[in-house]
Amino acid sequence: MIDGFEEFDVRVPGATIHGRRGGNGPPVLLLHGFPESHVMWHRVAPALAGEFSVVATDLSGFGDSTSDGEYSMRALARHQVEAMRSLGHDTFAVVGHDRGARCAYRMALDHPETVTKLAVLDIVPTLDAFERADKDFALGYWAWSFLTAPIAETLIGTAPEAFVNHLLDSWAAHDAFPPEIRAEYARHFRDPATVHAICEEYRAAATTDCDHDSADRGINRITCPVLALWDSSGALAHWYGDPLAIWRHWADNVSGAPVEAGHFIPEEAPAETLQHLLPFLTRGE
């Protein structure tokens, strides 16, 4: 589903990472959000491949990747670093959307010698999100609570297509998902092991990931350049005012801007996404 890219599966300690790769040049890792897979980059990856060696993967436990039972973002980030190393990339830029962005910034904190540039799409750090949570957060990001419930796997399993389509429809500004893309995302939610892994990842976000963020905030900083993009009319713009100010508590070199899209920025606004990503990834620092 990404033109000109080849599929691969890489076994690393704790996971098997599935993805696609293509292009030539400096390496860039693309990490997807929820409820998607690496296929979400199908409108962006081919253009990036004109200048970069692009690798788009499924997070461990998501999509067609597997997990041996490690669900913290620290573990997911380690899996991706080891997968990239096995593909011949010891250092690389990383671009993450939603859950992939949470994996990406954890990677930049835990592996500063590996991540050369970091782009985070439509998030603030996990600890900041929980600390600032209110009624709007509870209603708008209901999935954060729902997926931690012990019965979440059972409920999703009764109607996986309806669940995925509701998320795509309610978080997007317009329909950017052709039927074959919707079917690809829904396919993964018919697999009980994948649904369980996704729920466990959200459970870890509320516990282990917050603990890791708390230990780092104000002490360990992201040392590489950071680009933050967010939905201009969505949650981040309304809830946090200036998301860049939050990211500057974590990193010194931060830039970014709002994008005219819903939550699914790379699929809803691929041209504008590329207008921000290409100069950020190509410029020297």
Side-chain angles (χ1 to χ4, degrees), residues 1-10 17-30 38-39 41-42 44-50 52-58 80 82-90:
M1 290 188 174
I2 302 180
D3 291 340
F5 278 53
E6 63 171 351
E7 287 189 84
F8 66 84
D9 290 279
V10 175
I17 301 301
H18 176 80
R20 286 179 170 88
R21 58 180 174 173
N24 292 286
V28 177
L29 173 63
L30 305 180
H38 75 278
V39 172
W41 300 104
H42 68 103
V44 170
L48 290 177
F52 302 96
S53 294
V54 179
V55 179
T57 63
D58 293 336
Q80 295 294 330
E82 291 170 346
M84 288 292 282
R85 188 173 295 127
S86 74
L87 296 173
H89 305 305
D90 292 328

Side-chain angles (χ1 to χ4, degrees), residues 127-148:
L127 180 62
D128 292 280
F130 274 113
E131 286 183 341
R132 297 162 185 255
D134 56 12
K135 182 179 72 174
D136 289 337
F137 179 95
L139 295 174
Y141 280 5
W142 56 268
W144 285 50
S145 298
F146 170 71
L147 292 170
T148 66

Side-chain angles (χ1 to χ4, degrees), residues 7-19 32 38 56-71 75-76 78-80 82-84 86-87 194 197:
E7 287 189 84
F8 66 84
D9 290 279
V10 175
R11 181 64 193 173
V12 301
T16 297
I17 301 301
H18 176 80
H32 66 89
H38 75 278
T57 63
D58 293 336
L59 298 170
S60 43
F62 287 67
D64 288 313
S65 292
T66 66
S67 171
D68 292 352
E70 298 179 286
Y71 300 112
L76 269 61
R78 186 183 73 249
H79 298 159
Q80 295 294 330
E82 291 170 346
M84 288 292 282
S86 74
L87 296 173
T194 297

Side-chain angles (χ1 to χ4, degrees), residues 111-126:
H111 306 274
E113 73 289 350
T114 297
V115 179
T116 59
K117 292 185 179 182
L118 167 67
V120 289
L121 278 57
D122 219 35
I123 71 159
V124 297
T126 302

Side-chain angles (χ1 to χ4, degrees), residues 56-266:
T57 63
D58 293 336
L59 298 170
S60 43
F62 287 67
D64 288 313
S65 292
T66 66
S67 171
D68 292 352
E70 298 179 286
Y71 300 112
S72 71
M73 283 300 171
R74 173 160 287 164
L76 269 61
R78 186 183 73 249
H79 298 159
Q80 295 294 330
V81 168
E82 291 170 346
M84 288 292 282
R85 188 173 295 127
S86 74
L87 296 173
H89 305 305
D90 292 328
T91 62
F92 51 87
V94 58
V95 180
H97 170 258
D98 189 77
R99 310 315 288 183
R102 300 187 187 285
C103 179
Y105 85 77
R106 174 46 54 190
M107 190 186 304
L109 286 165
D110 288 356
H111 306 274
E113 73 289 350
T114 297
V115 179
T116 59
K117 292 185 179 182
L118 167 67
V120 289
L121 278 57
D122 219 35
I123 71 159
V124 297
T126 302
L127 180 62
D128 292 280
F130 274 113
E131 286 183 341
R132 297 162 185 255
D134 56 12
K135 182 179 72 174
D136 289 337
F137 179 95
L139 295 174
Y141 280 5
W142 56 268
W144 285 50
S145 298
F146 170 71
L147 292 170
T148 66
I151 200 172
E153 289 94 330
T154 301
L155 296 176
I156 294 170
T158 64
E161 289 85 0
F163 178 71
V164 170
N165 283 325
H166 173 73
L167 293 168
L168 297 178
D169 293 336
S170 61
W171 291 351
H174 58 274
D175 187 359
F177 312 101
E180 64 272 19
I181 296 295
R182 288 177 179 267
E184 175 66 9
Y185 296 156
R187 173 175 70 86
H188 302 300
F189 283 80
R190 291 195 293 270
D191 181 354
T194 297
V195 173
H196 176 68
I198 290 171
C199 290
E200 286 295 306
E201 186 270 340
Y202 273 85
R203 291 163 187 147
T207 53
T208 308
D209 293 349
C210 281
D211 291 343
H212 292 162
D213 277 7
S214 181
D216 278 327
R217 191 173 61 186
I219 300 173
N220 296 323
R221 295 182 67 76
I222 297 169
T223 57
C224 67
V226 176
L227 173 71
L229 304 177
W230 63 94
D231 166 11
S232 61
S233 60
L236 265 68
H238 290 300
W239 298 348
Y240 305 120
D242 181 11
L244 296 182
I246 296 176
W247 281 108
R248 289 185 177 117
H249 288 293
W250 293 84
D252 294 323
N253 188 349
V254 178
S255 61
V259 174
E260 293 294 329
H263 175 60
F264 303 102
I265 292 172

